[in-house]
């Protein structure tokens, strides 16, 4: 063994690094011994292997891969994103970025690097690591820089697939925000069942068993110009039309047509809102106005929206499969905005009494100890109209403006109370998301960045980081303040 190591030390080390980070080969019931990737350990049963045979197997595999790429126009690289490619030159990107603090990549190479007398520069390493003084914000900035590079090289209208896995909602929102701040639009999120789980997935009860797959696209230049140059309905028309074209018509699960949740008004509005904020543009209309806009410009089918051609295809698919309507995706109510959206969908079908709505409403309600969701009658009173027979209905066209004015007035007063509590030094334990968003939007439009940061610090712990829209407001406010400070330093 000593002779082999002396003769082929570097070759053995390089092939070992590709296998994983363990110190010794673990014994397996059948087949070749293997290492346990992503951890440093000494297995309970070890098996020595012939270094030369091991190297030969690796070289054979390498030559096969090399032959494949040399005979085609494909390119594979394991470099950092710092290397330069031409703008708009790549047709498709698949990336599997670091999952927050799941694996300490550079530190797991310590033994190999000590032997080779090289050391990784882990300053730009995109992970969360206390010893490297990298928290959620540092991870977000590093990932945002990486996704901006992806955005630069990807062709307009083309796709990027991001595989991600983490149990932390804050890290999950951070990666989504980084993708969207780079300019991408996240069309859908799906799960990937890898069949064979990792060591942690199998042995750790809190580990995620399936990875999430984010399908993102780079908007065409027309959409980019619309957000930057156009305003109001014209801006929204181009963005939503482009988004709908990138969404599947339906999903087929076990031979049954299933509704596409991303086509529902709430999710479409969220995507519009985030895209406008990420490009530092004002949101041209609120959720209620957006719902009316969708109904006027697009085709509604069972609570989802389509272009004219897509609506025809949707009808044909249902008819072909003998389904009167698709199986609906269950969406839980976690805040008052979602409660209003749920009630709008219910009351659009027909006016209903509180006692008719309550059982279905309660079954859809998902509690969050930091979130204040008022009682159903209160929500109905602020957003809908009660007829003489005690049935609640949607406001008519002539009633909408007055109802909207009254609702915004109430939200404004509620936000003022919240702001006074925070200014007094109180760290709030519970808040209403729609109230917080109302205030954040007002400060965003008037560019009061300091107030956005101040409000964010007074909210329940983790509340901003775990909410995609709030985190976007916070991150942009922080960025603008840093730019203002830098400009002042240059003047001095």
């Amino acid at each position: 063994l000593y002779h082999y190591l002396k003769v082929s030390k570097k070759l053995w080390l390089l092939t070992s690094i590709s296998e994983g980070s363990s110190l010794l080969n673990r014994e397996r019931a059948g087949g070749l011994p293997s290492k346990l990737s992503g951890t440093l350990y000494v297995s309970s049963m070890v098996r020595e292997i012939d270094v030369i045979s091991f190297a030969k197997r690796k070289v054979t595999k390498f030559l096969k891969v090399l032959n494949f790429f040399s005979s085609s126009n494909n390119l594979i690289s394991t470099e950092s994103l710092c290397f330069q490619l031409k703008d708009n030159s790549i047709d498709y990107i698949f990336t599997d970025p670091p999952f927050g603090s799941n694996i300490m990549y550079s530190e797991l190479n310590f033994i190999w690097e000590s032997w080779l007398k090289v050391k990784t520069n882990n300053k730009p390493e995109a992970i969360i690591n206390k010893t490297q003084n990298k928290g959620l914000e540092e991870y977000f900035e590093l990932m945002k820089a990486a996704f901006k590079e992806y955005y630069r090289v990807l062709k307009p209208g083309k796709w990027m697939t991001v595989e991600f896995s983490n149990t932390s909602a804050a890290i999950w929102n951070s990666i989504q925000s980084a993708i969207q701040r780079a300019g991408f639009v996240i069309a859908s999120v799906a799960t990937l069942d890898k069949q064979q789980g990792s060591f942690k997935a199998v042995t750790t009860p809190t580990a995620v068993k399936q990875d999430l797959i984010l399908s993102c696209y780079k908007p065409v230049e027309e959409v980019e110009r619309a957000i930057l140059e156009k305003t109001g309905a014209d801006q929204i028309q181009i963005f939503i039309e482009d988004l709908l074209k990138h969404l599947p018509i339906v999903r087929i699960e076990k031979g049954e047509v299933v509704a596409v949740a991303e086509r529902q008004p709430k999710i479409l509005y969220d995507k519009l809102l985030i895209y406008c904020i990420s490009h530092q543009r004002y949101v041209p209309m609120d959720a209620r106005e957006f719902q009316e806009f969708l109904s006027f410009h697009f085709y509604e089918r069972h609570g989802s929206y389509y272009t004219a051609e897509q609506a025809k295809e949707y009808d044909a698919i249902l008819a072909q499969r003998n389904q009167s309507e698709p199986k609906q995706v269950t969406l839980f109510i976690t805040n008052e905005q979602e409660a209003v959206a749920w009630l709008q969908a219910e009351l659009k079908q027909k006016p209903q009494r509180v006692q008719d709505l309550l059982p279905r409403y309660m079954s859809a309600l998902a509690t969050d100890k930091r979130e204040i969701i008022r009682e159903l009658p209160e929500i109905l009173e602020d957003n809908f109209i009660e007829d003489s027979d005690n049935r609640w209905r949607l406001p008519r066209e002539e009633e909408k403006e007055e109802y909207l004015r009254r609702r915004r007035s109430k939200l404004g007063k509620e936000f003022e109370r919240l702001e006074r509590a925070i200014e007094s030094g109180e760290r709030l334990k519970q808040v209403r998301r729609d109230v917080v968003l109302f205030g954040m939007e007002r400060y965003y439009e008037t560019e009061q960045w300091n107030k956005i940061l101040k409000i964010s610090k007074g909210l329940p712990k983790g509340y901003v980081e775990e909410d995609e829209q709030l985190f976007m407001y916070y991150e942009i406010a922080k960025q603008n303040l840093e730019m203002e400070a830098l400009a002042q330093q240059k003047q001095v």
Side-chain angles (χ1 to χ4, degrees):
L1 177 63
Y2 173 78
H3 174 71
Y4 285 150
L5 291 177
K6 187 176 181 181
V7 172
S8 57
K9 178 172 70 172
K10 288 190 177 180
L11 176 63
W12 185 85
L13 270 174
L14 289 171
T15 55
S16 294
I17 290 172
S18 70
E19 285 293 296
S21 304
S22 56
L23 299 177
L24 295 170
N25 290 289
R26 55 179 171 156
E27 181 63 61
R28 293 196 301 182
L32 293 169
S34 69
K35 294 173 176 61
L36 184 63
S37 62
T39 187
L40 291 170
Y41 85 117
V42 178
S43 55
S44 55
M45 293 182 67
V46 297
R47 174 181 169 187
E48 198 61 65
I49 62 170
D50 176 18
V51 177
I52 301 301
S53 298
F54 182 81
K56 283 181 179 178
R57 286 195 300 273
K58 291 298 175 184
V59 169
T60 302
K61 288 182 178 180
F62 173 74
L63 290 175
K64 286 181 180 178
V65 174
L66 187 64
N67 181 58
F68 170 77
F69 283 102
S70 63
S71 61
S72 66
N73 293 323
N74 296 307
L75 172 68
I76 188 169
S77 173
T78 56
E79 297 175 80
S80 148
L81 276 174
C82 298
F83 73 99
Q84 291 296 308
L85 289 173
K86 292 181 180 179
D87 293 357
N88 306 319
S89 60
I90 301 299
D91 289 291
Y92 173 71
I93 295 171
F94 180 95
T95 182
D96 186 5
F99 302 157
S101 59
N102 283 13
I103 298 176
M104 302 294 107
Y105 298 94
S106 61
E107 292 173 8
L108 284 167
N109 284 330
F110 172 76
I111 292 177
W112 315 124
E113 292 180 350
S114 299
W115 197 353
L116 291 169
K117 295 182 173 60
V118 295
K119 187 177 180 183
T120 298
N121 173 22
N122 59 16
K123 186 176 180 180
E125 183 182 17
I127 61 170
I128 295 176
N129 184 306
K130 288 182 180 179
T131 59
Q132 294 182 29
N133 295 317
K134 292 176 183 173
L136 185 65
E137 289 190 15
E138 288 75 16
Y139 173 73
F140 168 78
E141 291 296 336
L142 289 163
M143 289 307 307
K144 184 174 70 173
F147 285 120
K148 279 187 174 180
E149 184 66 9
Y150 283 141
Y151 189 86
R152 182 184 68 80
V153 302
L154 190 65
K155 293 177 181 177
K158 299 297 183 180
W159 290 84
M160 174 179 71
T161 301
V162 182
E163 182 177 353
F164 196 75
S165 175
N166 198 289
T167 56
S168 167
I171 293 175
W172 169 241
N173 280 322
S174 178
I175 200 79
Q176 288 190 92
S177 295
I179 291 168
Q180 291 168 134
R181 285 287 283 123
F184 288 101
V185 176
I186 299 175
S188 65
V189 180
T191 58
L192 172 68
D193 188 351
K194 297 187 288 187
Q195 303 297 321
Q196 176 61 48
S198 66
F199 178 77
K200 286 185 177 180
V202 173
T203 59
T204 310
T206 58
V208 178
K209 309 302 180 186
Q210 293 181 329
D211 286 359
L212 291 168
I213 297 293
L214 293 92
S215 297
C216 324
Y217 66 91
K218 178 177 178 176
V220 294
E221 293 177 2
E222 183 185 8
V223 175
E224 293 281 73
R225 285 198 302 270
I227 292 295
L228 296 174
E229 299 172 6
K230 295 183 182 295
T231 57
D234 291 338
Q235 184 187 65
I236 297 174
Q237 175 81 23
I238 294 172
F239 176 80
I240 295 297
E241 197 165 292
D242 186 60
L243 175 57
L244 291 177
K245 288 177 181 177
H246 283 85
L247 296 176
I249 305 296
V250 295
R251 290 193 173 96
I252 307 297
E253 294 180 5
K254 299 178 181 179
E256 189 175 15
V257 177
V258 178
V260 178
E262 289 83 4
R263 288 183 174 275
Q264 296 182 1
K266 178 193 176 300
I267 297 179
L268 290 173
Y269 182 69
D270 285 349
K271 292 187 184 299
L272 170 68
L273 185 67
I274 290 167
Y275 195 74
C276 288
I277 296 170
S278 66
H279 284 73
Q280 299 204 38
R281 292 295 181 271
Y282 299 132
V283 183
M285 58 181 67
D286 63 23
R288 189 187 293 274
E289 293 169 323
F290 178 74
Q291 176 90 40
E292 295 169 6
F293 172 87
L294 282 179
S295 300
F296 184 78
H297 289 89
F298 297 97
Y299 293 80
E300 190 264 339
R301 295 290 189 275
H302 302 110
S304 298
Y305 285 86
Y306 300 84
T307 63
E309 291 182 1
Q310 289 176 337
K312 291 179 183 177
E313 187 176 347
Y314 173 87
D315 294 337
I317 292 171
L318 282 181
Q320 185 182 6
R321 293 182 175 267
N322 294 319
Q323 279 187 241
S324 58
E325 61 181 64
K327 180 181 177 183
Q328 292 295 327
V329 179
T330 303
L331 293 179
F332 292 105
I333 299 168
T334 59
N335 55 62
E336 194 164 310
Q337 277 192 324
E338 292 174 359
V340 172
W342 185 90
L343 287 166
Q344 282 177 332
E346 289 289 321
L347 298 178
K348 188 176 181 180
Q349 299 174 25
K350 61 178 181 179
Q352 300 178 59
R353 295 187 177 93
V354 173
Q355 55 266 40
D356 299 326
L357 292 163
L358 197 57
R360 297 194 304 280
Y361 175 79
M362 294 303 293
S363 64
L365 200 60
T367 57
D368 181 340
K369 63 182 180 181
R370 300 168 303 183
E371 187 70 38
I372 298 173
I373 303 180
R374 295 179 299 163
E375 296 297 327
L376 180 58
E378 292 181 84
I379 299 173
L380 287 166
E381 187 176 347
D382 273 1
N383 296 276
F384 305 97
I385 293 177
E386 187 179 20
D387 283 338
S388 56
D389 59 355
N390 296 325
R391 295 179 189 273
W392 291 91
R393 61 170 174 82
L394 298 176
R396 297 190 184 96
E397 195 63 41
E398 64 274 13
E399 299 167 327
K400 287 176 181 176
E401 189 174 341
E402 175 61 20
Y403 248 67
L404 183 62
R405 187 193 64 76
R406 283 167 50 191
R407 184 174 182 276
R408 290 185 67 83
S409 175
K410 287 183 178 180
L411 285 172
K413 291 176 181 178
E414 189 68 28
F415 181 74
E416 288 173 6
R417 285 194 289 270
L418 178 146
E419 193 173 27
R420 284 197 297 271
I422 291 175
E423 286 177 351
S424 68
E426 183 180 350
R427 180 76 183 243
L428 303 178
K429 294 181 179 179
Q430 279 190 313
V431 292
R432 276 177 58 193
R433 182 177 181 271
D434 55 340
V435 171
V436 177
L437 275 174
F438 175 86
M440 289 286 200
E441 182 182 340
R442 188 166 69 182
Y443 288 146
Y444 172 79
E445 291 176 352
T446 54
E447 298 184 2
Q448 298 185 64
W449 313 122
N450 272 315
K451 289 194 174 183
I452 289 178
L453 295 190
K454 190 170 184 179
I455 293 298
S456 299
K457 290 176 182 177
L459 298 176
K461 187 176 180 181
Y463 192 79
V464 170
E465 293 83 353
E466 294 175 17
D467 187 289
E468 196 175 359
Q469 292 176 19
L470 292 178
F471 184 75
M472 192 75 75
Y473 279 123
Y474 170 82
E475 193 273 328
I476 286 176
K478 181 171 168 286
Q479 176 183 293
N480 277 288
L481 284 173
E482 289 171 354
M483 289 172 64
E484 288 175 6
L486 187 62
Q488 288 175 1
Q489 287 177 6
K490 286 183 178 179
Q491 287 179 355
V492 173

